[in-house]
Amino acid sequence: MTIRASIRFLRRGKIVDLAHVPPMRTVLDYLRLDERSRGTKEGCNEGDCGACTVALGVLKNGKLVYEPVNACILLVGQLDGKELVTVDDLADGDTLHPVQQALVDTHGSQCGFCTPGFVMSLFTLYQSGKAPTREEIATQIAGNLCRCTGYRPIIDAGFAACTGSPVDRWAKGAKEAARQLAALDDGADVFVGTPESFIARPAQAATLARLTAENPDATIVSGATDVGLWITKQMRQLPKIILTGGVTSLHAVEMAKDRVSLGAAATYAEAMPALSSIDPDVAEVLRRLGSTQVRASGTVGGNIANGSPIGDMPPMLIALGATLTLRHGDTERALLLENFFIAYGKQDRKPGELVWRIDVPKLKRDEAFRAYKISKRFDQDISAVMAAFKLMLDGRTISSARIAFGGMAATPKRGAQTEAALQGASLDQPASWKAAIAALAKDFQPISDMRASATYRIEVAQGLLKKALMEVAGADNTRVLAHRKAVA
């Protein structure tokens, strides 16, 4: 097995080879402190404001794709095998890049601090080769905050620049960059450091499983959208970091007739098309999950493994009946996802054991699904309440239900008493729903915190259950059936 003792990535047309990389070194610190490229700014330092946005060029199915990421919470080790593009690179002498020029022409910048991040988010949209709608531009920059210019001129700049026909240096040099990235993909397991302090990026599944089993004290990192904050905000010391993203098989997204299967390192961006096909509500929650930058880095498996009680995916996956495969060395075991979460900060995962695969059942013709994310901000915000409902129907009668909430307990949790109360309820008789709506207060005793009070959470949860029942009753399930027929 080949082991490489350096991180290699493409930068300004040349290969950068770093043999000495502190495990916790972020891309932002590398750019500003090591490379002295200071166009990329540090704003929130937690992946919220987008001022630090850079673009990563990656090969996907042989095609070069540019994605925006937050440099403040991305680790240098995660650059391995990719191309790094920053705002410092865009101008060609005195000639601005089309995105930069459009922002000048539309007066899309005032103080300018956030502007480099907006430029890079729009740069990746420019490279996509599509002429976006206003909604698509807004979604693209939802992870970039501006406090003084306002978003209208920035969106106008997106319209002006992103015409669907990129003609810049990156578009013209795409074949050569793809060739260089393909050459970087040497299939080697990367290990930089010492047994006591290292960053590792295995390329082989067996190496990842073995290394994790041998180092149960190591921090496992997929997208670093959570672990990055441990470094920048909590100031934790993480001497051993093992990255999962180098294992190609863990990025697999497979669609079978009855289920969607995800490798644990599949990013949200990679998983979104398949997961969105399950139901329109899944698609809408995913669109609001984090930002374009977060979805390009963050993974479904990582969201599950960190065990957050306010994660958006687990309630939906629990309601859908997802199963989890865990791996320790050469041994795998499966369990229902709902049984993985034991208590706050505690999951059914042994030291050195990895979240390996997620299997999500597709909906059957007699099943209706609804999911709702409640947050103070519509985009790029943490949920106060996340609700997911799957109703199994016998005509107009609910034969059984799976109900799960996030933000309502110490873990993502099913509402067992509510589910029992829904059995036999009629979609045509709202009075038959009352017992189930009342039972929510028995299933959940949420806390009050900065996002919402306990009273608010219970009232919202009850309102969302009633909303789901009213929607399913009114739709007669035709919306769901039509969607399923369209994506079958």
Side-chain angles (χ1 to χ4, degrees):
M1 192 70 65
T2 303
I3 298 177
R4 174 160 41 88
S6 66
I7 303 296
R8 300 193 306 169
F9 57 94
L10 184 61
R11 181 89 174 103
R12 297 169 177 164
K14 298 180 180 179
I15 304 301
V16 176
D17 194 306
L18 301 178
H20 302 286
V21 180
M24 298 188 297
R25 194 63 158 177
T26 66
V27 174
L28 179 64
D29 282 350
Y30 167 77
L31 288 171
R32 293 185 62 84
L33 302 178
D34 298 345
E35 193 178 279
R36 300 289 176 171
S37 297
R38 291 174 177 164
T40 306
K41 306 303 182 188
E42 177 183 307
C44 65
N45 218 20
E46 59 185 34
D48 268 346
C49 75
C52 68
T53 302
V54 298
L56 290 186
V58 295
L59 283 180
K60 295 195 174 183
N61 299 318
K63 181 182 178 182
L64 179 59
V65 177
Y66 288 94
E67 297 178 311
V69 295
N70 292 307
C72 69
I73 54 172
L74 192 78
L75 302 181
V76 171
Q78 293 173 270
L79 296 177
D80 193 73
K82 301 175 182 178
E83 180 185 8
L84 174 62
V85 183
T86 76
V87 71
D88 303 272
D89 309 330
L90 299 196
D92 187 2
D94 293 331
T95 303
L96 295 178
H97 185 274
V99 168
Q100 294 172 310
Q101 188 62 55
L103 280 161
V104 172
D105 294 341
T106 61
H107 306 286
S109 177
Q110 286 189 37
C111 82
F113 193 86
C114 67
T115 304
F118 277 102
V119 167
M120 295 312 299
S121 286
L122 290 175
F123 169 84
T124 60
L125 187 59
Y126 176 89
Q127 299 300 334
S128 70
K130 65 182 295 184
T133 64
R134 181 180 183 84
E135 182 179 1
E136 287 170 336
I137 295 173
T139 296
Q140 183 75 9
I141 63 173
N144 295 83
L145 302 182
C146 174
R147 304 191 186 280
C148 52
T149 302
Y151 298 99
R152 182 193 55 76
I154 298 172
I155 291 174
D156 288 346
F159 273 122
C162 302
T163 62
S165 301
V167 294
D168 63 359
R169 299 197 309 277
W170 288 268
K172 294 174 182 177
K175 288 185 179 179
E176 175 59 18
R179 184 196 66 76
Q180 290 177 290
L181 289 177
L184 278 178
D185 185 12
D186 57 5
D189 294 319
V190 176
F191 188 96
V192 180
T194 66
E196 294 74 33
S197 178
F198 62 79
I199 188 161
R201 192 173 187 267
Q204 312 301 321
T207 307
L208 172 63
R210 176 184 55 77
L211 190 62
T212 305
E214 292 174 353
N215 294 273
D217 57 335
T219 302
I220 312 303
V221 176
S222 289
T225 54
D226 189 33
V227 173
L229 275 69
W230 298 2
I231 295 170
T232 63
K233 295 297 182 180
Q234 299 180 14
M235 303 300 175
R236 294 194 202 180
Q237 292 301 308
L238 309 175
K240 299 180 180 180
I241 292 178
I242 300 174
L243 302 170
T244 66
V247 180
T248 302
S249 61
L250 285 184
H251 288 266
V253 179
E254 300 173 355
M255 290 187 65
K257 183 178 180 180
D258 62 342
R259 68 187 56 244
V260 172
S261 296
L262 307 174
T267 66
Y268 280 102
E270 292 168 336
M272 273 183 75
L275 290 175
S276 296
S277 73
I278 294 175
D279 188 85
D281 276 18
V282 176
E284 179 59 14
V285 171
L286 284 170
R287 188 180 73 81
R288 293 180 55 200
L289 191 152
S291 61
T292 308
Q293 294 95 318
V294 167
R295 293 190 294 272
S297 297
T299 67
V300 179
N303 192 200
I304 291 169
N306 69 21
S308 171
I310 52 175
D312 289 336
M313 278 307 298
M316 291 198 296
L317 296 177
I318 289 172
L320 289 166
T323 57
L324 201 60
T325 298
L326 303 172
R327 179 167 172 173
H328 186 274
D330 296 326
T331 303
E332 293 186 0
R333 66 184 177 102
L335 72 163
L336 280 171
L337 176 59
E338 63 205 66
N339 295 331
F340 178 69
F341 305 104
I342 298 173
Y344 182 76
K346 184 179 182 182
Q347 296 86 47
D348 184 4
R349 185 161 63 94
K350 304 170 186 175
E353 191 171 40
L354 289 165
V355 173
W356 202 254
R357 190 178 71 251
I358 307 103
D359 292 299
V360 190
K362 293 182 179 179
L363 293 166
K364 299 175 182 177
R365 289 185 62 83
D366 59 351
E367 295 175 343
F369 182 82
R370 292 294 186 274
Y372 310 101
K373 174 184 170 83
I374 304 299
S375 57
K376 290 183 177 181
R377 243 183 10 240
F378 187 83
D379 288 310
Q380 176 79 336
D381 201 7
I382 297 172
S383 295
V385 176
M386 177 65 214
F389 310 96
K390 183 169 82 167
L391 306 177
M392 283 62 81
L393 303 174
D394 182 4
R396 301 288 289 173
T397 300
I398 299 172
S399 57
S400 60
R402 292 181 65 90
I403 292 172
F405 280 90
M408 294 283 287
T411 65
K413 180 186 171 186
R414 283 180 70 179
Q417 296 183 74
T418 306
E419 293 174 358
L422 276 174
Q423 278 189 290
S426 170
L427 293 177
D428 298 319
Q429 298 175 9
S432 66
W433 310 343
K434 290 183 179 179
I437 293 171
L440 278 171
K442 300 176 183 177
D443 279 323
F444 299 97
Q445 295 79 45
I447 64 170
S448 296
D449 59 20
M450 69 183 72
R451 296 183 187 93
S453 68
T455 301
Y456 174 86
R457 284 187 161 109
I458 280 293
E459 290 181 354
V460 164
Q462 291 173 328
L464 292 177
L465 175 55
K466 186 175 181 180
K467 175 182 172 71
L469 292 167
M470 291 178 69
E471 285 186 358
V472 174
D476 193 23
N477 215 16
T478 53
R479 178 186 73 94
V480 176
L481 294 178
H483 170 73
R484 251 165 254 151
K485 183 178 180 181
V487 300

